[in-house]
Amino acid sequence: MISDSLHGRSALPSDPETRASTRLLLAFLWIQLAAFGVYLVSAVWVDRSTAGRVLFQTAFAVAVIFVLRAMALRGWVRAAGVGYLATAWLLLGASAWTGGGIHNSATLGFLVVVFAAGLLFGRRGAAIMGAVVILTALGLALAEQRHVLPPSRIHNTPLQIWSDVAVYCLLIIAFQALATRVRRSTEDRYGQVVERAGDAIFTLSPQGTLAAVNPAFQRMTGWPPEECLGKPFTELIASVDGQGRWRTFLDDRGPRQSLELPLRHRNGQAVVVELNLAPVAGRDGDTLAVGRDVTERREQEQRRARLEGQLRQSQKLEAVGTLAGGIAHDFNNVLTAIMGHAHLLQEDVPPKGRAAERVAEILKAGARARDVVRQLLTFARSQGQPRALTRFQDVVLEAVQLLRASVPSSVQMETNIDPDTPGVLADATQLHQVTVNLVTNAADAMRDHGGRLTLSLGRLQLDSHAAARLPPLEPGPHVRLRVSDTGHGMDPGVLERVFEPFFTTKPLGHGTGLGLAVVHTIVSDHHGRIAVRSKPGEGTTVEVILPQATQPMVVAEAATPEAPLRGNGERLLVVDDETAVLRVLAEQLQRLGYRVRTSTDPEEALETFSDDPDEFDLAITDLQMPRMSGVELAARFISVRADLPVLLITGNRSAVEPHVLRAAGVRELVDKPFRLQDLSRAIRTALETSAS
Ligand code: ADP
Ligand code: MG
């Protein structure tokens, strides 16, 4: 029964302090009940005549005990405790009053009551109870002296006195033992909470040294108690910034009692800990701290912020792409006219002189404009672009050759290109663009003071560990292009924004801010990864890593001829809704030796062609036209005459899918504004393949 009430889990209150005192009181009541049993038996055994009175006393006590127990279980622990002490005092007092006054052995029981008061209510309880008991004894003595005590019918024998003393001693011992046990089990529970807690729990002395730590503290920070106890807590704080924050926190400890600090793990790494601090009750100046490891959470937050940044970036690129796609068509038509006429003009004016210089300037500006549009269009291009097995090393070599002229002589250029670099599945024009943009940036960074530009290309094997740190790369063979310079470098603020379209630190007319944005888009489209490392004054290194193609490398590139290829009187039908483009195109082609018929209206062109299909050797049509697209027109031409070669020109390559072109029977696709060399080559290729 005792153990039952000790562990009366269901009814006990949850607050540990109250629970401990409830358990103590309940245990007292059960011991008291047992003591009454002993008292009853011994009293009746000594003197049968007292049986009635003793039985009545015992029954009363038992009833009271059960009432008190019910009170304690309902949560009225203090009241039940007071009730218990009062009942014990009353019974002992009554026994003394009716049987010998102060001389009755029952008065010894008052000592037990004082003792119990001490155990239940502490020092103050014992003092109050002691005062009550002394007053009671005084009252009894006074009553005896004044002869107001009822005539005693009881005469305590020595045996009775000794048996009473024995019972009281046993009671005191049992109470004491119980109290100790309850206190210890309470402490044990607190101890277990601290020992088993997942959070680090520790105390700091007023001097700020570590006074106590729990096992979780060691798990979190790696420091065993013997190495950290007594040390200043600040020594455990990882960064100078963290130490500063800790000091400010101590200085103005307002209502805020929690802060986040990086702690120095024993293995040297930093652990971010969220600390909650509270003064320890009773001990002067000691502080209790509970720390939770939030390193993982913080890392996740940072990762999320990074991803959000990337998302914003790609949304921005997408917007630029949509815009570029929208204007490219018109813009390229305009550029085609400007550059075409400039080319024609170049042939008309005397080769040396002011006029020729001006035409050359027009062509240079035109080329630059074409370049900007082309870069912008990179963002409009979808993944569906044709990719071929490409020798990156050839692309890089070609680009380097082209760039040598524009790199200032104060820049020393070193290349380290592995000729056995495996192939990549890529759009060669785009890889060319990547190389040009990176080298241009490196050269720009060294324009004022010169320096060394190192360009290297080679294979790179990634194990799963390395690949995990470089998403979206997968483990396996890769190709790495690295462009390093010893230029002015970048501060973190610039570094953070380099991939933003239109972000540039260069003066107007020198930078477009598109270089790295384009590189980034191209590399992402190729499922690769780009990394930029830079410090102000220490130069910059850009690395582009692309996955190696799975097929082996076999193709060889044909060289681009420098002069436009001439025609031989072939008859061309040229269709474009833009008169300006049409006029310049016709004139250029005539000068190359072709015979040209033009049309601004696809339907009219179709009619002309259908009248005499054999009148033409090749048809050239614009892609985007009102009423009928170039693809549709090509298909109609071919349905009339299956072997007619058709060539498409377009200002926005991304507006059409390659497979649609193939299905329509289109032989070649040329970007506007074109270089005459490229257009003439495409015409020759189309004519020759149809002839063979
Ligand atoms: P742009 O070259 O037209 O300014 P980019 O996108 O190529 O645009 O580069 C953006 C910015 O990044 C540059 O203006 C420059 O501040 C910085 N940057 C790029 N590459 C380097 C480099 N190699 N060294 C120093 N700064 C660079
Ligand atoms: Mg640039």
Side-chain angles (χ1 to χ4, degrees):
M1 286 296 266
I2 289 178
S3 77
D4 200 347
S5 53
L6 263 178
H7 302 289
R9 303 169 193 93
S10 53
L12 289 182
S14 56
D15 157 40
E17 288 281 353
T18 327
R19 187 159 63 187
S21 41
T22 311
R23 283 166 63 206
L24 188 62
L25 180 67
L26 289 174
F28 276 19
L29 294 178
W30 286 116
I31 293 178
Q32 191 64 68
L33 200 63
F36 267 116
V38 176
Y39 172 57
L40 179 71
V41 173
S42 65
V44 174
W45 180 52
V46 172
D47 183 355
R48 264 162 217 281
S49 67
T50 60
R53 190 177 55 99
V54 166
L55 203 62
F56 170 73
Q57 278 182 353
T58 308
F60 173 72
V62 168
V64 170
I65 283 175
F66 274 93
V67 170
L68 293 176
R69 178 173 179 275
M71 285 168 68
L73 286 178
R74 291 201 59 177
W76 304 332
V77 194
R78 292 182 73 84
V82 172
Y84 166 69
L85 297 174
T87 313
W89 171 81
L90 193 72
L91 281 174
L92 291 169
S95 174
W97 185 266
T98 54
I102 195 76
H103 301 296
N104 189 307
S105 64
T107 51
L108 290 171
F110 283 139
L111 293 179
V112 180
V113 181
V114 174
F115 185 75
L119 289 180
L120 286 174
F121 295 107
R123 239 175 297 166
R124 263 182 63 192
I128 294 171
M129 199 65 230
V132 171
V133 163
I134 289 167
L135 286 177
T136 313
L138 275 176
L140 283 171
L142 212 65
E144 196 181 330
Q145 202 182 25
R146 298 268 169 93
H147 304 289
V148 286
L149 277 185
S152 173
R153 284 172 283 112
I154 300 158
H155 300 285
N156 282 331
T157 60
L159 179 66
Q160 232 169 348
I161 292 172
W162 284 117
S163 79
D164 277 355
V165 168
V167 169
Y168 295 143
C169 284
L170 279 177
L171 262 180
I172 288 181
I173 292 167
F175 281 179
Q176 170 70 57
L178 255 166
T180 314
R181 200 177 130 192
V182 168
R183 198 181 331 115
R184 196 171 296 149
S185 83
T186 313
E187 279 172 2
D188 264 13
R189 289 190 182 199
Y190 278 130
Q192 275 190 17
V193 169
V194 174
E195 291 287 305
R196 297 216 189 150
D199 289 346
I201 300 174
F202 55 98
T203 55
L204 298 175
S205 72
Q207 291 75 40
T209 56
L210 282 164
V213 298
N214 74 337
F217 181 88
Q218 184 178 351
R219 280 199 299 279
M220 207 172 284
T221 65
W223 296 100
E226 60 274 16
E227 285 182 41
C228 64
L229 287 183
K231 284 212 175 141
F233 179 63
T234 39
E235 279 186 17
L236 282 189
I237 300 174
S239 64
V240 179
D241 163 59
Q243 286 172 348
R245 267 189 298 135
W246 174 245
R247 237 164 284 138
T248 345
F249 174 78
L250 292 184
D251 287 346
D252 53 35
R253 262 203 202 184
R256 200 171 69 100
Q257 287 291 307
S258 72
L259 86 163
E260 212 172 279
L261 278 183
L263 296 188
R264 196 163 49 86
H265 193 279
R266 194 161 177 262
N267 66 15
Q269 282 180 331
V271 196
V272 184
V273 176
E274 186 187 86
L275 280 180
N276 276 293
L277 297 125
V280 178
R283 293 212 211 160
D284 295 330
D286 264 15
T287 306
L288 174 73
V290 179
R292 172 161 298 180
D293 188 346
V294 292
T295 317
E296 183 97 341
R297 203 195 304 164
R298 291 290 164 267
E299 274 171 8
Q300 265 169 9
E301 280 167 9
Q302 278 170 2
R303 215 170 303 143
R304 197 173 50 217
R306 226 175 13 243
L307 282 177
E308 276 168 4
Q310 282 170 0
L311 185 67
R312 264 199 303 280
Q313 181 86 351
S314 62
Q315 280 168 341
K316 210 182 288 177
L317 292 180
E318 216 178 284
V320 173
T322 315
L323 188 72
I327 61 164
H329 173 73
D330 293 330
F331 205 75
N332 280 334
N333 276 337
V334 174
L335 271 180
T336 308
I338 293 175
M339 290 184 74
H341 283 294
H343 276 299
L344 292 171
L345 202 57
Q346 202 169 32
E347 290 168 25
D348 294 345
V349 300
K352 292 215 169 64
R354 297 260 301 268
E357 269 170 35
R358 295 215 163 123
V359 174
E361 284 303 320
I362 295 174
L363 284 171
K364 226 161 85 185
R368 192 169 146 75
R370 182 190 57 201
D371 221 47
V372 171
V373 178
R374 190 166 292 168
Q375 303 239 27
L376 275 174
L377 271 177
T378 319
F379 304 118
R381 293 211 170 128
S382 56
Q383 250 90 19
Q385 279 309 295
R387 299 262 163 81
L389 202 53
T390 309
R391 281 171 59 86
F392 205 166
Q393 54 274 53
D394 293 349
V395 175
V396 170
L397 282 172
E398 193 193 308
V400 167
Q401 231 142 46
L402 198 89
L403 287 160
R404 272 197 205 277
S406 61
V407 170
S409 55
S410 58
V411 172
Q412 196 188 329
M413 195 155 153
E414 278 171 25
T415 53
N416 177 12
I417 297 168
D418 177 1
D420 297 327
T421 305
V424 287
L425 201 60
D427 178 339
T429 329
Q430 291 194 330
L431 290 191
H432 182 88
Q433 189 82 64
V434 167
T435 317
V436 170
N437 290 5
L438 294 183
V439 172
T440 310
N441 279 349
D444 280 350
M446 298 183 286
R447 204 158 288 279
D448 292 342
H449 303 289
R452 200 171 57 250
L453 194 162
T454 322
L455 190 148
S456 50
L457 182 82
R459 62 174 76 225
L460 173 74
Q461 184 68 29
L462 288 183
D463 59 18
S464 57
H465 204 72
R469 280 185 295 113
L470 300 168
L473 300 183
E474 309 260 342
H478 287 79
V479 172
R480 175 174 61 188
L481 170 72
R482 182 191 270 162
V483 180
S484 300
D485 64 65
T486 56
H488 53 62
M490 291 175 253
D491 60 40
V494 172
L495 194 57
E496 205 172 276
R497 301 186 57 192
V498 285
F499 295 127
E500 265 179 42
F502 305 116
F503 172 77
T504 179
T505 58
K506 294 168 194 172
L508 203 67
H510 286 267
T512 57
L514 287 173
L516 285 175
V518 163
V519 171
H520 185 271
T521 304
I522 293 175
V523 172
S524 307
D525 279 354
H526 283 78
H527 311 291
R529 176 157 176 125
I530 179 167
V532 184
R533 281 195 306 274
S534 184
K535 274 196 188 137
E538 288 180 24
T540 302
T541 299
V542 184
E543 274 188 6
V544 168
I545 305 176
L546 298 178
Q548 177 188 325
T550 37
Q551 308 114 289
M553 199 67 236
V554 278
V555 288
E557 291 271 313
T560 320
E562 263 318 300
L565 300 174
R566 296 195 56 83
N568 205 0
E570 288 93 343
R571 296 150 304 168
L572 313 182
L573 176 58
V574 185
V575 191
D576 194 314
D577 59 310
E578 286 270 333
T579 327
V581 174
L582 204 56
R583 276 223 306 270
V584 74
L585 193 54
E587 201 171 337
Q588 282 179 318
L589 292 172
Q590 277 159 1
R591 286 193 189 189
L592 282 180
Y594 295 101
R595 281 182 286 161
V596 183
R597 275 280 290 277
T598 60
S599 172
T600 50
D601 177 21
E603 276 167 15
E604 182 202 81
L606 198 58
E607 232 165 80
T608 316
F609 178 72
S610 308
D611 284 350
D612 191 356
D614 291 322
E615 184 67 15
F616 299 100
D617 297 307
L618 175 97
I620 299 176
T621 168
D622 186 28
L623 174 63
Q624 280 163 302
M625 293 182 293
R627 288 201 294 284
M628 195 187 295
S629 85
V631 179
E632 198 184 334
L633 183 60
R636 296 268 204 103
F637 279 153
I638 288 163
S639 71
V640 175
R641 211 189 98 192
D643 66 340
L644 179 81
V646 182
L647 198 149
L648 219 68
I649 49 179
T650 176
N652 184 4
R653 186 182 268 265
S654 63
V656 62
E657 299 275 339
H659 66 90
V660 175
L661 290 181
R662 272 196 303 278
V666 173
R667 298 277 173 88
E668 297 279 325
L669 183 69
V670 178
D671 287 310
K672 270 198 252 180
F674 35 77
R675 299 191 310 164
L676 205 51
Q677 294 97 303
D678 297 330
L679 180 66
S680 68
R681 185 154 65 106
I683 293 174
R684 289 314 322 163
T685 317
L687 285 172
E688 274 154 29
T689 36
S690 82
S692 62

